[in-house]
């Protein structure tokens, strides 16, 4: 397919060991051939992985690739947010994934007083002007705490209006949910690109666990089919690879501006999907 003008980005999480860091460097090296717009790195709410995120971002920048740290604001006060953003600015970061985050269980949500990501977007624009490109999160199947579809969509549109440049979605396996969501936010006057977040399937049990917590739906037919392979991980991956690649092709053909991969710090599946789609050819 024609991938001209379609962007790619890849998401990592911070590693805990020197071996993990080396492995991640090798993974990024493989994915760099697809000329990504940026690599991003997650960060635990409440600052739980801050050092690891800073290290990963420094590593990415040292490789001359644009880096986007995720910044969940819940549990931080404004001074802490300023300090962290100043650090990122001084490192050469020019893109931030601005999030509310979820407090780890057992930790209270006190701190900054920021309650929603929209307030973080406003704070960044107020203090730094247009220095940072701001990415926000989107939920085509709606956020797990959404009161209603309409309210969740309206909150997203307000967050975009607060000054976001672009959005990355939670992963999904139902392209129609994405197209419907984009139509709905466009109807509210929101024009920013909404990039689908893509989760390749490495294993069934892990996917179910993840999806249950973040509110992503695994369609019944897909769940049953993957389940039928039981412990045959190779077949799970091969089948899901076809399904996810087909979905990506449809998303791109019908207007998605690009793809953002949740890599889980592994390159094989995102690489194969990008290769099949014709990226990096
Ligand atoms: P918000 O946009 O603030 O929305 C959260 C909820 O509040 C929604 O239900 C929304 O409808 C509601 N809401 C918003 N505004 C209002 C309002 N004014 N009044 C009432 N309700 C309102 N989490 C991490 O901890 N670290 C990460 O690195 C991380 N990376 C992520 C990357 C992506 C691409 C995505 C999609 C999610 C990521 N998350 C991460 C998860 C995210 O932090 C959680 O889903 C969190 O619960 C919501 O964050 P948000 O930024 O979408 O919040």
């Amino acid at each position: 397919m024609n991938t001209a003008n379609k962007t790619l980005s890849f998401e990592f999480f911070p590693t805990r060991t020197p071996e993990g860091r080396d492995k991640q460097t090798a993974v990024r090296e493989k994915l760099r051939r697809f000329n990504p717009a940026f690599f991003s790195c997650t960060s635990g709410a409440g600052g739980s992985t801050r050092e690891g995120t800073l290290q990963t971002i420094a590593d990415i920048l040292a490789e001359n690739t644009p880096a986007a740290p995720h910044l969940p604001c819940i549990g931080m006060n404004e001074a802490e947010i300023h300090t962290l953003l100043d650090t990122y600015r001084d490192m050469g970061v020019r893109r931030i994934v601005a999030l509310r985050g979820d407090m780890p269980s057992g930790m209270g949500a006190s701190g900054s007083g920021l309650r929603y990501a929209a307030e973080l977007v406003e704070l960044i624009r107020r203090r730094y002007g247009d220095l940072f490109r701001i990415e926000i999160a989107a939920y085509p199947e709606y956020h797990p705490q959404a009161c209603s579809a309409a309210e969740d969509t309206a909150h997203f549109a307000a967050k975009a209006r607060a000054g976001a440049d672009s959005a990355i979605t939670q992963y999904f396996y139902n392209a129609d949910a994405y197209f419907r969501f984009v139509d709905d936010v466009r109807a509210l006057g929101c024009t920013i690109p909404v990039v689908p977040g893509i989760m390749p399937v490495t294993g069934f049990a892990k996917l179910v666990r993840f999806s249950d917590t973040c509110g992503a739906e695994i369609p019944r037919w897909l769940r049953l089919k993957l389940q039928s392979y039981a412990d045959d991980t190779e077949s799970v991956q091969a089948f899901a690879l076809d399904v996810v690649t087909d979905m990506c092709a449809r998303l791109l053909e019908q207007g998605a501006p690009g793809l953002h991969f949740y890599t889980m710090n592994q390159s094989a599946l995102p690489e194969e999907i990008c290769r099949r789609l014709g990226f990096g050819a």
Side-chain angles (χ1 to χ4, degrees):
M1 66 172 298
N2 183 1
T3 56
N5 305 321
K6 303 288 187 186
T7 62
L8 285 178
S9 51
F10 299 95
E11 178 174 315
F12 299 89
F13 54 80
T15 55
R16 292 208 181 95
T17 61
E19 296 74 33
R21 191 174 159 201
D22 289 346
K23 190 173 158 251
Q24 198 189 76
T25 303
V27 166
R28 283 197 303 270
E29 184 61 41
K30 289 187 180 148
L31 294 173
R32 202 169 289 112
R33 68 172 273 248
F34 296 107
N35 199 19
F38 63 94
F39 287 142
S40 80
C41 182
T42 63
S43 186
S48 52
T49 68
R50 199 165 306 159
E51 290 312 312
T53 304
L54 277 163
Q55 180 63 67
T56 304
I57 292 298
D59 288 347
I60 296 169
L61 290 170
E63 295 158 2
N64 290 318
T65 306
H70 293 209
L71 203 174
C73 63
I74 203 157
M76 293 174 78
N77 62 43
E78 289 204 20
E80 288 172 316
I81 295 173
H82 292 162
T83 303
L84 187 56
L85 285 166
D86 286 354
T87 304
Y88 283 137
R89 176 198 59 201
D90 297 345
M91 289 167 73
V93 167
R94 292 296 178 265
R95 188 187 296 252
I96 301 283
V97 183
L99 300 151
R100 183 196 71 177
D102 296 303
M103 283 310 281
S105 56
M107 284 174 80
S110 63
S112 65
L114 298 194
R115 289 166 308 158
Y116 301 112
E119 296 164 32
L120 176 62
V121 174
E122 278 166 18
L123 179 154
I124 298 174
R125 283 286 173 250
R126 214 170 39 240
R127 189 172 159 94
Y128 299 92
D130 288 335
L131 182 75
F132 295 112
R133 190 179 161 87
I134 303 178
E135 307 278 341
I136 52 173
Y139 302 85
E141 294 175 340
Y142 308 112
H143 185 264
Q145 291 152 5
C147 297
S148 71
E151 279 184 56
D152 204 42
T153 313
H155 291 146
F156 172 81
K159 180 166 64 169
R161 270 197 304 277
D165 294 292
S166 186
I168 303 168
T169 76
Q170 183 56 275
Y171 69 86
F172 54 84
Y173 298 102
N174 179 353
D176 289 324
Y178 168 82
F179 291 121
R180 175 72 59 180
F181 178 79
V182 173
D183 285 351
D184 288 349
V185 302
R186 297 286 179 256
L188 294 175
C190 169
T191 55
I192 63 170
V194 179
V195 176
I198 304 298
M199 177 73 91
V201 180
T202 48
F204 178 66
K206 204 150 85 178
L207 182 70
V208 170
R209 221 172 31 243
F210 239 74
S211 304
D212 284 349
T213 48
C214 71
E217 189 187 53
I218 311 170
R220 178 183 155 82
W221 67 270
L222 181 57
R223 186 183 278 258
L224 290 178
K225 185 76 181 171
L226 294 176
Q227 209 167 10
S228 72
Y229 294 119
D231 292 334
D232 179 359
T233 306
E234 213 173 290
S235 298
V236 167
Q237 290 190 0
F239 179 75
L241 196 57
D242 289 342
V243 172
V244 173
T245 308
D246 287 351
M247 181 180 76
C248 289
R250 186 175 160 218
L251 289 166
L252 294 173
E253 272 157 13
Q254 295 186 26
L259 302 170
H260 175 85
F261 282 92
Y262 296 102
T263 68
M264 309 307 286
N265 289 357
Q266 294 177 30
S267 64
L269 296 172
E271 259 188 298
E272 180 60 15
I273 295 170
C274 291
R275 200 189 55 73
R276 289 190 192 182
L277 291 169
F279 283 99

